[in-house]
Every structure is written in C-alpha cells, then in structure tokens.
Amino acid sequence: IGAEMIFSFYHHRHYYSIRGTLANIYLSVLNFLLDILLRGVCLFVLTFFYSIKFLEINIGWLYWCVLLVAEDLLYYFLHRVDHYCRLFWAVHVTHHSSEEFNLTVGFRSSVFQPLYRFVWFIPLALVGFRPVDVMFMYAATQIYGILIHTQTIGKLGFLERIMSTPSHHRVHHASNIKYLDKNMGMVFIIWDRLFGTFEEEDSNEPVVFGLTENIKTHHPIKMVFHEWINMRKDLKK
C-alpha cells in the first residue's frame, strides 16, 4: 500500500485521498470487530454440520486444491446474490461506494456480511472439509482479493483467462452500464465465464469507479446505512 501511494504521488495519478483512505480504514475496522465477534458462531455452525457430514475427504494435498476451488465457487454465488438481491446489496454496497480504486479499497468491507456469510460455506462442512480449514481458506482467498484492488497493474496475459486479475476487478468496481455486476469471482474468473457474468476491460470505455448514483459523503453512519435508508423510502412509497 505504501509503495502504491508513493507511485501514485510521484506520477500524479491521484489514486489515493486522505478522506477516502480514512473511510476505508473505518469500514474495515467495523467489519473486523463484527467478524471477530462472530468467528465463534461460524466455527460452531460449521462444526455442527461437519459432525453430520456424509463424505470423508482424505486425499492429501489435493484436499487443499479442491477446497480452494469449491470455496471460490461458493463465494461466487454469495457475491452474485450480494449484487442481485437488494437486501444483500444494502450490505455489500459499502465496498463499492468508493469513487477511488486502490489497495485500501480492498479493506473497505461489507460491514454486516459476517452475519450471514458462513451459511454459504455449510456445504463444504457437509462434504467433509474441516471447519477450521474452511475458515483458513476464506482468509487466504480474501488476501488475494485485496491485492487485485489496484490500478497500477495492467493485463496479465494468459492469467486473464483463469484468474481474477486487477483488470477484471476494475471492471467489477465500475459504474459504467456495460460493466455493472460483472466479474464476481474472488480468485478464479472461470465462474464468470461459465455463468455469464464476465466482461473484459475495454480500453475504449475507461472504467468510472463508484456507484451509478454516488453517495458523495464520508459520513460514518451514511456510508454504512445509506441503502437501507433508500429502501425504507421506497417501501414508504
């Protein structure tokens, strides 16, 4: 992050602002505190379903490869629901409301997602993946997910066919109509290619980061609850 800040400053790229970075830190702290509080609940639920598992997986190093692929597939569907269902979008929108795109945006978390995220990984416990391993793999893939929030890296050749790359993720954070709700994979882009949510970054249509209607505020309450407020207004109508 420090290196990207220095690069941005010396090359006049304006990738970072003080208020934007502080907002990202604030939202990540809120998410982190809630995540820590619910970590025990997550482990308890996954352990319960692991106790009634209907498979036993014991395939050495392949265990970790299969867990990586399976967890990334389940995350893809979690992420897709976050975008297509307004109730869950109200949670996830905090991650997308920044009009900047840099490594600290990777920490700009969906604050309330820990309340329900673990439910999506119950199938992994049921087929024999140990709960602690499921939680570890999610943490590892999250680290990768943070690293692709950058404008300093261009396209990465053949990796663009398989992996979620910075280029693919810039599209995901775009407000351009062409790019909306695309490229939802955390580690692999193959799910988007398979399920019709893939879009290439087009040099003829530069990415515009943020929401279709930006919130234009760093207010600590409005950043978290603005979409809930909008839903309430719509329900009143």
Side-chain angles (χ1 to χ4, degrees):
I1 291 171
E4 187 175 65
M5 284 180 171
I6 293 168
F7 175 86
S8 171
F9 176 77
Y10 279 103
H11 291 271
H12 308 289
R13 301 291 178 89
H14 307 292
Y15 293 158
Y16 288 83
S17 69
I18 293 174
R19 293 187 72 186
T21 301
L22 289 175
N24 296 339
I25 293 169
Y26 161 72
L27 291 168
S28 69
V29 168
L30 290 183
N31 175 264
F32 176 76
L33 292 174
L34 185 59
D35 203 15
I36 289 295
L37 286 173
L38 291 171
R39 199 66 60 91
V41 175
C42 174
L43 187 59
F44 175 81
V45 171
L46 293 179
T47 299
F48 169 77
F49 285 98
Y50 182 73
S51 71
I52 58 172
K53 63 185 182 294
F54 51 83
L55 282 178
E56 186 72 50
I57 300 177
N58 188 16
I59 49 176
W61 61 270
L62 276 175
Y63 170 92
W64 294 101
C65 296
V66 175
L67 176 57
L68 169 61
V69 173
E71 187 152 346
D72 199 59
L73 174 60
L74 292 175
Y75 177 83
Y76 168 84
F77 286 113
L78 160 65
H79 199 178
R80 186 161 176 167
V81 168
D82 280 346
H83 276 255
Y84 281 87
C85 174
R86 193 176 181 189
L87 181 66
F88 293 102
W89 174 246
V91 174
H92 187 54
V93 70
T94 55
H95 181 61
H96 282 267
S97 58
S98 173
E99 295 177 59
E100 299 170 352
F101 190 73
N102 55 59
L103 289 169
T104 66
V105 174
F107 292 98
R108 187 187 178 99
S109 305
S110 306
V111 173
F112 294 114
Q113 198 184 66
L115 290 169
Y116 62 87
R117 182 180 60 219
F118 61 87
V119 174
W120 288 87
F121 301 132
I122 287 173
L124 297 174
L126 282 172
V127 299
F129 290 104
R130 292 180 292 273
V132 170
D133 296 344
V134 172
M135 294 170 71
F136 167 78
M137 186 58 74
Y138 179 76
T141 55
Q142 279 287 102
I143 292 170
Y144 179 84
I146 288 167
L147 294 175
I148 59 176
H149 288 79
T150 179
Q151 298 183 64
T152 58
I153 296 173
K155 295 193 175 184
L156 297 175
F158 75 94
L159 290 177
E160 301 285 326
R161 301 293 304 171
I162 307 163
M163 308 295 291
S164 290
T165 64
S167 175
H168 295 327
H169 211 64
R170 288 193 287 271
V171 166
H172 180 68
H173 275 260
S175 61
N176 315 50
I177 299 301
K178 174 181 179 179
Y179 295 146
L180 288 182
D181 304 319
K182 303 297 185 184
N183 300 354
M184 309 224 191
M186 172 79 81
V187 176
F188 300 110
I189 202 66
I190 52 177
W191 317 124
D192 293 282
R193 294 182 184 277
L194 281 172
F195 300 118
T197 52
F198 176 73
E199 188 65 49
E200 191 89 34
E201 185 178 24
D202 185 350
S203 59
N204 295 317
E205 182 156 356
V207 168
V208 179
F209 298 110
L211 306 175
T212 52
E213 292 183 21
N214 288 306
I215 58 174
K216 300 295 182 184
T217 182
H218 292 103
H219 189 284
I221 304 300
K222 289 180 180 177
M223 280 195 299
V224 177
F225 292 107
H226 68 91
E227 186 60 17
W228 297 95
I229 294 167
N230 291 339
M231 282 199 295
R232 180 177 173 275
K233 290 176 181 176
D234 288 347
L235 284 168
K236 278 187 77 173
K237 290 178 186 177

